Amino acid sequence: MANEKMAVMVTDATLQPQGQVLAESLSLPLVTEPPSSCELLLQLTPERLQLQQLGPDAPGPVYVDFVEGAMGHRRKFGGGRGQLVAKAVGIKKGFIPTIIDATAGLGRDSFVLAQLECQVRMVERSPIVAALLRDGMERGRQDGEVAPIIERMSLQVADAKEWLLTLNEEQRPDVVYVDPMHPERTKAAEVKKEMKIFRELVGGDEDDAELLHAALRIARKRVVVKRPRKAEAIKGPKPNLVYEGKSTRFDVYLITQ
């Protein structure tokens, strides 16, 4: 998205210095009122950093919250190692894999995996999305229950298909986890809102086959790709295992060499 269509705005004058640093780091203008050409605002409020789409019928803001809301509920009632994602990445008694989440987004799956004791390195290619994720992690560190989970998560801003290939032997993870952007067939307003805004920011993941290829070269044990249940697999080799849920499935590619 062109910079003239997006800006940083603070909602409290005391946040002006912090807003200036953020705007400069993202090469975005800092405004007090959104210009007419602006389509997205990165709003710094006393509570959080949030992304707000502008215009008629615009949805509510998108932000990262690991403490309350959906992630808070999943943390308390998510099902532990019985979850499909836990089975897909190969968590079992006596083995907790190291994971690179190559398409971190808002960090939800990474957080679930970190809660299951995995060390998770998140990679996000959009600096805007990464800023939201970093803000959510910082706020999560202030919560006694969430802080230990956040400590198992780290964030890298990079294009994963290129970054993965820079890793040396010691840096290779057991698992590379991939959740490419795709059209969501769901009635969940929250998902629709985020997908719409994310597409405005980064477009679709037309390079998912290249990312899968890079992941297969770097993972020690397996690559896990999250897909809508009825969607086609990413172009490339066929998955060795498939874990299927009601609306989502996990295609698992086992590393044999």
Side-chain angles (χ1 to χ4, degrees):
M1 170 172 285
N3 282 5
E4 65 268 14
K5 294 186 178 181
M6 185 169 183
V8 174
M9 187 174 81
V10 297
T11 62
D12 187 305
T14 61
L15 298 172
Q16 192 78 8
Q18 193 177 340
Q20 187 66 50
V21 171
L22 178 64
E24 290 177 0
S25 71
L26 298 172
S27 299
L28 292 173
L30 180 65
V31 301
T32 53
E33 292 293 336
S36 58
S37 62
C38 194
E39 296 178 5
L40 285 172
L41 274 183
L42 196 57
Q43 297 174 321
L44 187 58
T45 77
E47 292 77 32
R48 61 184 181 237
L49 183 67
Q50 60 187 32
L51 189 62
Q52 177 64 63
Q53 191 171 23
L54 303 178
D57 302 319
V62 171
Y63 54 91
V64 175
D65 187 353
F66 293 123
V67 180
E68 304 292 344
M71 292 311 299
H73 185 271
R74 187 165 181 180
R75 185 179 80 250
K76 296 171 184 174
F77 309 108
R81 295 187 181 184
Q83 299 173 80
L84 275 187
V85 68
K87 297 176 181 178
V89 300
I91 294 173
K92 56 187 176 183
K93 187 175 181 180
F95 179 69
I96 303 295
T98 57
I99 297 174
I100 288 179
D101 182 348
T103 50
L106 296 180
R108 289 174 178 159
D109 288 341
S110 287
F111 183 79
V112 170
L113 292 166
Q115 187 181 1
L116 295 171
E117 307 296 329
C118 297
Q119 293 289 333
V120 185
R121 284 176 281 171
M122 301 179 290
V123 187
E124 173 52 50
R125 63 179 167 185
S126 166
I128 308 297
V129 177
L132 294 171
L133 182 47
R134 194 176 290 112
D135 176 70
M137 292 171 70
E138 286 299 323
R139 287 184 284 107
R141 288 190 179 97
Q142 310 307 311
D143 182 270
E145 286 187 24
V146 174
I149 302 172
I150 300 295
E151 289 307 308
R152 290 190 285 272
M153 301 164 65
S154 63
L155 176 61
Q156 176 76 34
V157 183
D159 188 327
K161 70 179 185 294
E162 299 169 359
W163 181 82
L164 284 171
L165 299 179
T166 69
L167 301 181
N168 61 36
E169 185 63 28
E170 291 183 356
Q171 294 170 323
R172 291 174 60 194
D174 296 315
V175 178
V176 177
Y177 182 86
V178 180
D179 180 12
M181 192 173 295
H182 43 70
E184 289 278 4
R185 294 186 176 181
T186 176
K187 295 181 180 179
E190 194 73 14
V191 174
K192 286 185 178 181
K193 173 177 69 177
E194 288 164 6
M195 287 294 292
K196 185 176 180 181
I197 291 180
F198 275 32
R199 284 189 177 280
E200 285 282 329
L201 275 177
V202 298
D205 283 332
E206 289 82 7
D207 58 352
D208 55 7
E210 296 175 62
L211 178 54
L212 175 60
H213 178 73
L216 289 168
R217 285 183 59 183
I218 294 302
R220 293 181 186 274
K221 296 186 178 294
R222 62 178 65 188
V223 174
V224 177
V225 180
K226 184 178 181 180
R227 302 292 284 163
R229 186 171 65 87
K230 295 183 179 181
E232 294 182 1
I234 292 179
K235 186 177 180 181
K238 291 184 178 180
N240 302 98
L241 300 170
V242 176
Y243 292 88
E244 191 171 293
K246 291 182 179 179
S247 60
T248 301
R249 75 168 196 271
F250 297 94
D251 293 345
V252 179
Y253 303 78
L254 300 176
I255 309 300
T256 54
Q257 75 256 22

